[in-house]
Amino acid sequence: MSLTSKVLEGLNSQQREAVTYGEGPLLLIAGAGTGKTQAITWRIAHLITTKQAKPEEILALTFTEKAAAEMEERVDILVPYGYTGVWIGTFHAFGDSILKENALELGLADLGVLTRPEQIIFFRDHLFEFPLSYYRPLGNPARFIKAILTLFSRAKDEDVTPEEYLNYAYRLEEKAKADPEALELAEVAAQQMEVARTYQKYEELLAQYGKVDFGNQITLPLKLFREHAAILKRYQERFRYILVDEFQDTNYTQFQLVKLLAAHHENITVVADDDQSIYKFRGAAISNVLGFMDVYPKAKQIVLTQNYRSTQAILDTAYRLINYNNPDRLEFRNNIDKRLISGVKGGKVIKHLHYDTLSSEAEGVAKLIKEKVERENCSYRDFAILVRANKSADPFLRSLNMVDIPWTFSGNKGLYSREEVQFLISFLQSVADFEDSVSLYYLAASEVYQLSARNLTLCMNYASRRNRSLFYTFSRVPEISELDEEISPESKATIEKIIRDLEEYADLSIKHTTGEVLYKFISQSGWLKKLTSSPSSSSEEKLKNVARFFDIVRSTSAVLTHDRVSQFTSYLNLLMEAGDNPAVAEADTEADAVNVLTVHKAKGLEFPIVIVVGLVSGRFPSRWRRESIPLPDSLIKDILPSGDFHLQEERRLFYVGMTRAKKEIYFTSAQDYGGKRPKKVSQFIVEALDLGKKEMLIHKASALEVIGRSAPPLSKPHQLYESVPERRVLTLSYWQIDDYLTCPLKYKYVHILHVPIMQHHAVVYGRALHGAVQEYYRRKLAGNKVKEEDIISVFQKFWTSEGFLSRQHEEQRLEEGQEVLHRFYQRVQAEERLPVYVEKEFSFLLGNNRIIGRWDRVDVHNGEVCIIDFKSSNVREKKKADKRTRESLQLAIYALAYQKVFGKIPERVELHFLGSGLVGAATLDEDNLARTIEKINEAAAGIRARSYEAKPSYGACHLLTCAYQGICTHYVRSS
């Protein structure tokens, strides 16, 4: 079978037409469950296999890293020669790359992307530099910061520059001056002028400090293309084919960027479903998809209607609902048929369950799931409970706990509110500020110290009565007679330990980073070992959240002048005040647990049984809330629908929720949610089920059920994980393979649980050296001159003060690294040839195991290929260097990758030891690669089976200095 035939195999006629479409614009209208991702990835593969385009001539844009990764994986599977070279990524990642490649033209140096909370802090830091008056009341100067930044974000969504906003404000001002009686207009004009000038100043400050926000990652590349025709032409010629997934989610500015890029060839494919446009709150412009044919009147329009997910009954019910959005639908406007046809057999299971109270509703949902699992051979993972907002989930989670049903709650914010993270924050706050009694109270009551509630309350009450801190009181318990007599000897010992520990960590925090202090505390206290020793899903969930918090600690260190506990806690407090509360760790999708998530979060997913809850007026549809400072209507370029756009979007959201269901769907509602009046059932239920004004049966809880609500919940059960099926593609890197072969338990710690560890100083040193070397070659390949001080600067940028034995140790290592780079620079200046590839990504398939990685450097000379990897270790014997190279699994995998991608085994592999300048060399043959494949398959088989038992050995545990020795009960110690 030819490559082209293989790509087209299994496609229906509509998909085949879309995949094989030639040149010109294409609007692919793909309804829910019709295989749109399959169509777009198959189209990319078809363009490559038929040689209509080289891989590097294709640009595919989507909205999430997860979607981009899935698309890349599918293309890899379809295109058998591995690495394709297709640019597949998010809009913001693409924009960021454009900015970095053209930083000089934009007058930007090393860019830092501000998150939303960081934007708020940045704005507050410069608050009195802005020309504000009305929006900076002296009684509460920070009152409007969030609203102003939201306005700026909306302006960038609509391609409104500061200059355009200023011109609007000037026109408004002139209009007000022309009518002195119009006092209200004059006030509005003054406010708009204030906002416009602040917008201009904000952009100037961002540029001055080398910062961009998420909006800038789109608006600045657009500005670059508009002002630099030569640069635009270069990218237009580079990307001959442009494909945009989830086009209905693009904002006005993103479409302008895509139109400019596609203007030369007009080979633009957009995949969209207007009925699933649900992101207006973050700028999505439904007019982009509704008006696509107006922009490209010669565009081909293909509609995918074959549904592979849901039963016909579910599809018909959803279609009945969404028709209430006519005439503001593509089907109505373009006179096409979007009615979905099911390829799934199944009966009609669509029910509405109405209860008397919210508690009864939550209990009813839990009871329904329990009964179906016990009687119908369902798994818990078959169920999804969809809520309109995160806060609506709590009653349902409690009810699931009460009847011993495992659950996962995906994507919800609240990391800082988690018990395990609050514990870490309380520790840091207590170390940074001995006067912080609230944090110390929480710390003392934690499972680490377990100070009795009675004695802790006695101390806290004493401190409150005398306006003293809890730390002051703890320090003087023996001196305070009323406490000395009341507090038990055991509690006194605990209090003494708390004081001693805090003073010790406070001393440590003077010279060590936040991460080092925090890691030492959770290690020495035994808390980390306790978490890792427990096999429960609760402990695993906690570990993942702790790991996320450590990631925040490390990333925050980059923005602090000095990474110390006191600075970190101050900055963290600012982040939290600014509304920062990141999402908790994602749940394991393989866990046999009920999926609880918002409808927005559920988009793109599917479940056998879906239960949409809280379906009453005011909850779903939700009430529309106008922005505090709205963008003026005359500046909005997105053409809003003629109807009630908020109600239409809520209906589309409901449609998305319905079309997640494969077999069964349940709608639940209640009369009483705690307000004064009974709630009305959502109009969407009436529309979808065509209920009319029928009387609804109300399910009421019995007296015993009401009493039982006060019973303590059962413990959340252990979640059992099934093996990864052989048919599913498993993506692995060298590091994952090596970690698993070294010790499966280590693999679990690193790649499953993400157990936080203190970085070893050798890792910090090696990463910084590696970054500097790669930057040197990148600049050389781009044709730029590189000075020695340039790579030293990059080395310092990658450096972090973590894991070193002392400040003196760090300084000497830093000096050593700079000397190593000096010698490296002197050596490479004499090189006559440049590498063919530097930091080149690859992927290839071994069965259904997808191996990914990145070659440090690939040289090709006179047809001979050499793969090079750089090492920071200071090997000084040629024999040892050659042995390391010959036995390197990493180089063997890299050589295997080259064979799979380019069809030949490299003539040579080399390790370049930067410290000594020595080069280790080896030649690999088919036997070497066959043994490498065996090792890959061995690791993949164990990972698929979820076999994570420890394999302790002297070499793995001691010689390799495993970072998890302190928490591993299987650790083999040297005699």
Side-chain angles (χ1 to χ4, degrees):
M1 184 184 293
S2 68
L3 290 178
T4 303
S5 300
K6 182 182 177 183
V7 168
L8 298 178
E9 186 183 12
L11 299 178
N12 64 41
S13 59
Q14 297 165 337
Q15 291 173 327
R16 184 182 292 260
E17 184 183 9
V19 167
T20 59
Y21 179 72
E23 297 197 336
L26 169 65
L27 172 59
L28 179 58
I29 304 159
T34 57
K36 70 167 182 63
T37 305
Q38 182 182 27
I40 195 170
T41 51
W42 263 242
R43 177 159 171 74
I44 292 171
H46 186 262
L47 289 171
I48 296 170
T49 56
T50 57
K51 295 184 168 51
Q52 295 179 62
K54 297 175 182 177
E56 58 269 19
E57 293 177 328
I58 300 172
L59 170 66
L61 297 171
T62 187
F63 282 85
T64 66
E65 294 290 348
K66 181 181 178 183
E70 289 175 355
M71 192 183 298
E72 186 176 59
E73 180 181 297
R74 292 193 185 200
V75 172
D76 282 344
I77 294 169
L78 288 172
V79 183
Y81 42 85
Y83 178 80
T84 65
V86 178
W87 180 290
I88 300 175
T90 65
F91 269 94
H92 288 93
F94 175 70
D96 190 60
S97 178
I98 297 295
L99 294 180
K100 287 176 179 175
E101 289 177 8
N102 302 275
L104 293 177
E105 286 81 357
L106 286 165
L108 299 170
D110 185 24
L111 293 176
V113 182
L114 297 175
T115 63
R116 175 68 170 181
E118 289 170 345
Q119 273 182 273
I120 294 171
I121 293 171
F122 180 85
F123 196 97
R124 181 161 52 187
D125 287 345
H126 298 278
L127 185 58
F128 287 90
E129 297 177 50
F130 295 112
L132 290 169
S133 176
Y134 179 84
Y135 289 114
R136 191 182 57 207
L138 294 180
N140 186 6
R143 177 183 171 188
F144 292 103
I145 290 179
K146 291 183 185 179
I148 290 171
L149 289 173
T150 299
L151 172 63
F152 294 168
S153 177
R154 284 288 297 117
K156 292 174 185 181
D157 290 342
E158 299 287 339
D159 190 21
V160 176
T161 64
E163 294 73 26
E164 188 176 350
Y165 209 133
L166 273 170
N167 289 334
Y168 161 78
Y170 281 127
R171 291 194 302 271
L172 203 62
E173 196 174 59
E174 291 300 316
K175 190 176 179 181
K177 288 178 181 177
D179 185 4
E181 299 297 319
L183 299 179
E184 186 176 343
L185 179 61
E187 184 179 355
V188 171
Q191 292 170 8
Q192 289 299 324
M193 181 60 74
E194 188 175 310
V195 167
R197 286 174 173 162
T198 299
Y199 185 20
Q200 185 180 51
K201 182 65 176 178
Y202 172 71
E203 293 299 296
E204 290 173 358
L205 285 170
L206 286 178
Q208 179 183 336
Y209 287 91
K211 304 292 184 184
V212 294
D213 58 26
F214 289 123
N216 288 135
Q217 289 183 307
I218 308 299
T219 59
L220 288 179
L222 185 58
K223 179 183 178 183
L224 176 78
F225 291 155
R226 285 169 172 168
E227 296 178 357
H228 298 271
I231 294 176
L232 172 60
K233 184 180 179 183
R234 187 170 82 237
Y235 285 100
Q236 286 176 335
E237 291 175 348
R238 175 179 172 184
F239 298 119
R240 290 185 55 238
Y241 286 86
I242 298 173
L243 304 95
V244 183
D245 194 16
E246 304 287 8
F247 183 65
Q248 76 278 350
D249 295 337
T250 56
N251 60 40
Y252 182 88
T253 306
Q254 288 166 336
F255 192 21
Q256 303 312 301
L257 183 69
V258 169
K259 282 194 291 186
L260 273 182
L261 286 169
H264 185 61
H265 297 289
E266 286 204 343
N267 293 327
I268 176 174
T269 298
V270 300
V271 184
D273 182 9
D274 60 303
D275 292 333
Q276 296 188 75
S277 179
I278 58 173
Y279 292 110
K280 178 65 182 173
F281 68 91
R282 67 184 191 197
I286 194 172
S287 62
N288 286 352
V289 61
L290 295 178
F292 185 82
M293 298 298 291
D294 298 329
V295 177
Y296 298 101
K298 295 181 180 179
K300 176 73 173 178
Q301 190 172 233
I302 299 174
V303 187
L304 303 185
T305 56
Q306 181 67 55
N307 178 278
Y308 296 95
R309 177 187 298 155
S310 309
T311 64
Q312 192 64 51
I314 291 172
L315 297 180
D316 290 343
T317 306
Y319 185 71
R320 184 187 300 121
L321 167 92
I322 204 62
N323 269 303
Y324 281 86
N325 272 1
N326 286 336
D328 297 312
R329 291 179 62 238
L330 208 57
E331 182 176 41
F332 190 93
R333 288 190 174 199
N334 293 12
N335 193 28
I336 57 176
D337 185 3
K338 286 187 62 186
R339 187 188 296 267
L340 298 177
I341 307 302
S342 174
V344 178
K345 294 181 180 179
K348 181 179 180 180
V349 185
I350 304 170
K351 292 183 180 179
H352 172 217
L353 304 173
H354 191 50
Y355 297 87
D356 56 346
T357 66
L358 172 59
S359 296
S360 296
E361 180 187 1
E363 289 167 3
V365 168
K367 184 179 179 182
L368 170 69
I369 294 171
K370 192 78 171 177
E371 288 178 352
K372 291 187 77 67
V373 168
E374 291 174 351
R375 297 178 185 177
E376 300 179 22
N377 198 30
C378 299
S379 298
Y380 287 121
R381 71 169 65 86
D382 292 339
F383 293 84
I385 299 175
L386 303 186
V387 295
R388 176 61 184 85
N390 280 317
K391 62 184 179 182
S392 302
D394 285 345
F396 298 92
L397 300 180
R398 286 197 298 270
S399 290
L400 293 175
N401 280 342
M402 291 294 291
V403 291
D404 207 15
I405 295 177
W407 52 264
T408 64
F409 188 17
S410 298
N412 57 314
K413 290 189 175 183
L415 182 70
Y416 299 147
S417 306
R418 292 282 305 199
E419 178 186 1
E420 60 274 16
V421 176
Q422 279 186 339
F423 166 63
L424 301 180
I425 293 173
S426 295
F427 165 73
L428 292 174
Q429 299 277 25
S430 298
V431 170
D433 181 7
F434 287 176
E435 297 297 306
D436 186 345
S437 297
V438 174
S439 294
L440 180 53
Y441 182 94
Y442 193 93
L443 182 67
S446 70
E447 59 183 311
V448 168
Y449 294 107
Q450 299 181 26
L451 184 60
S452 74
R454 177 181 180 277
N455 292 324
L456 181 55
T457 302
L458 284 172
C459 291
M460 194 64 179
N461 289 344
Y462 179 90
S464 298
R465 288 196 303 269
R466 287 159 178 76
N467 292 319
R468 294 289 191 179
S469 69
L470 184 58
F471 183 88
Y472 175 92
T473 305
F474 275 0
S475 302
R476 290 162 176 78
V477 166
E479 304 168 17
I480 303 170
S481 58
E482 62 185 271
L483 294 179
D484 187 46
E485 294 172 2
E486 291 288 335
I487 293 179
S488 67
E490 182 184 349
S491 290
K492 286 178 183 177
T494 301
I495 290 171
E496 286 176 13
K497 178 169 175 52
I498 292 171
I499 296 298
R500 192 166 58 249
D501 285 354
L502 286 179
E503 290 175 342
E504 176 190 335
Y505 289 116
D507 288 340
L508 190 70
S509 69
I510 295 173
K511 295 183 179 180
H512 293 268
T513 64
T514 307
E516 289 177 301
V517 174
L518 188 58
Y519 184 78
K520 191 165 186 179
F521 168 66
I522 64 174
S523 299
Q524 291 185 342
S525 65
W527 185 72
L528 182 59
K529 187 167 186 176
K530 182 178 179 182
L531 272 184
T532 55
S533 300
S534 170
S536 72
S537 59
S538 175
S539 293
E540 292 191 3
E541 194 175 10
K542 288 180 179 180
L543 269 173
K544 290 178 181 179
N545 288 322
V546 170
R548 283 185 63 82
F549 185 70
F550 266 84
D551 286 340
I552 291 169
V553 170
R554 288 192 176 116
S555 62
T556 302
S557 69
V559 301
L560 299 176
T561 308
H562 299 289
D563 180 14
R564 296 295 182 265
V565 171
S566 58
Q567 270 208 321
F568 173 80
T569 53
S570 296
Y571 190 77
L572 182 64
N573 287 334
L574 288 175
L575 286 176
M576 291 192 289
E577 286 174 22
D580 185 37
N581 199 358
V584 299
E586 285 290 333
D588 191 317
T589 55
E590 298 301 318
D592 186 21
V594 173
N595 302 274
V596 185
L597 62 171
T598 65
V599 186
H600 280 101
K601 188 74 176 177
K603 189 170 183 289
L605 303 177
E606 57 183 41
F607 308 92
I609 304 167
V610 168
I611 307 171
V612 191
V613 300
L615 296 180
V616 292
S617 180
R619 289 194 167 211
F620 204 168
S622 66
R623 295 186 179 88
W624 181 60
R625 291 177 175 82
R626 189 175 179 83
E627 291 162 346
S628 300
I629 311 177
L631 186 68
D633 290 344
S634 59
L635 291 176
I636 296 176
K637 296 165 186 175
D638 176 24
I639 302 170
L640 295 176
S642 57
D644 183 334
F645 67 88
H646 174 70
L647 184 62
Q648 288 181 352
E649 173 133 338
E650 288 288 295
R651 188 176 284 114
R652 290 194 293 269
L653 185 61
F654 197 86
Y655 175 84
V656 166
M658 291 184 67
T659 53
R660 300 311 93 198
K662 296 167 73 174
K663 296 179 180 179
E664 302 179 21
I665 186 165
Y666 295 85
F667 305 121
T668 71
S669 57
Q671 280 188 320
D672 182 4
Y673 286 85
K676 292 182 179 179
R677 297 180 181 178
K679 295 289 185 181
K680 292 182 179 179
V681 170
S682 170
Q683 70 180 83
F684 297 154
I685 293 181
V686 177
E687 293 168 357
L689 301 182
D690 196 21
L691 291 178
K693 295 184 178 179
K694 288 193 293 186
E695 193 73 25
M696 294 181 187
L697 174 67
I698 301 176
H699 297 268
K700 294 184 177 180
S702 68
L704 279 176
E705 288 172 327
V706 172
I707 295 169
R709 290 170 188 164
S710 299
L714 297 170
S715 60
K716 193 174 172 183
H718 175 58
Q719 295 169 9
L720 299 177
Y721 302 108
E722 293 186 352
S723 60
V724 180
E726 285 295 329
R727 66 180 180 275
R728 185 179 304 168
V729 173
L730 177 66
T731 299
L732 296 171
S733 69
Y734 155 71
W735 298 107
Q736 290 171 301
I737 294 165
D738 185 61
D739 282 341
Y740 190 86
L741 293 176
T742 301
C743 176
L745 183 59
K746 178 184 178 183
Y747 173 89
K748 183 179 182 181
Y749 284 156
V750 178
H751 304 286
I752 304 297
L753 301 179
H754 308 289
V755 176
I757 59 170
M758 183 52 52
Q759 288 191 90
H760 195 272
H761 54 79
V763 175
V764 174
Y765 179 77
R767 184 178 59 234
L769 273 183
H770 192 273
V773 169
Q774 295 307 327
E775 184 64 22
Y776 169 83
Y777 283 116
R778 271 196 292 269
R779 294 189 187 186
K780 291 291 285 186
L781 281 178
N784 299 325
K785 290 184 178 179
V786 188
K787 299 177 182 177
E788 184 177 336
E789 53 264 35
D790 292 337
I791 62 171
I792 296 295
S793 175
V794 174
F795 174 71
Q796 293 170 340
K797 174 189 168 185
F798 275 93
W799 192 268
T800 55
S801 298
E802 188 173 334
F804 294 94
L805 304 181
S806 65
R807 179 63 185 166
Q808 185 181 18
H809 177 216
E810 180 182 356
E811 289 173 351
Q812 289 180 4
R813 199 68 160 142
L814 192 61
E815 185 179 333
E816 179 187 3
Q818 292 170 346
E819 178 59 32
V820 166
L821 288 175
H822 169 72
R823 295 196 299 269
F824 164 80
Y825 186 80
Q826 298 302 316
R827 285 197 305 272
V828 295
Q829 290 304 296
E831 289 183 349
E832 297 179 1
R833 291 182 302 274
L834 287 173
V836 174
Y837 300 123
V838 172
E839 290 287 285
K840 175 81 166 178
E841 292 182 345
F842 65 76
S843 67
F844 64 93
L845 285 171
L846 291 175
N848 269 358
N849 298 321
R850 176 172 173 256
I851 313 305
I852 61 171
R854 181 184 288 123
W855 293 303
D856 274 9
R857 170 177 165 175
V858 179
D859 288 3
V860 181
H861 179 56
N862 293 333
E864 292 194 351
V865 178
C866 179
I867 292 180
I868 296 169
D869 200 64
F870 295 99
K871 297 297 179 186
S872 58
S873 47
N874 195 10
V875 174
R876 296 191 173 277
E877 297 176 17
K878 182 69 167 71
K879 185 177 180 181
K880 187 176 181 181
D882 288 342
K883 184 175 184 290
R884 284 272 301 270
T885 306
R886 191 169 54 252
E887 296 176 352
S888 171
L889 176 62
Q890 185 175 15
L891 281 177
I893 290 176
Y894 289 178
L896 178 63
Y898 196 90
Q899 182 200 42
K900 294 294 183 182
V901 173
F902 295 107
K904 67 171 288 185
I905 301 175
E907 278 71 21
R908 196 169 68 260
V909 293
E910 294 180 351
L911 287 180
H912 287 209
F913 295 94
L914 295 169
S916 62
L918 271 181
V919 174
T923 300
L924 303 180
D925 55 23
E926 289 284 2
D927 288 341
N928 295 117
L929 300 193
R931 287 193 293 272
T932 302
I933 290 173
E934 287 177 4
K935 289 181 179 180
I936 292 172
N937 289 336
E938 178 189 344
I943 292 168
R944 285 184 181 277
R946 293 182 177 268
S947 175
Y948 302 135
E949 73 282 0
K951 291 185 179 177
S953 68
Y954 178 79
C957 297
H958 181 68
L959 295 180
L960 298 181
T961 57
C962 177
Y964 300 95
Q965 292 174 2
I967 61 172
C968 181
T969 56
H970 305 275
Y971 169 49
V972 176
R973 301 185 184 276
S974 59
S975 58

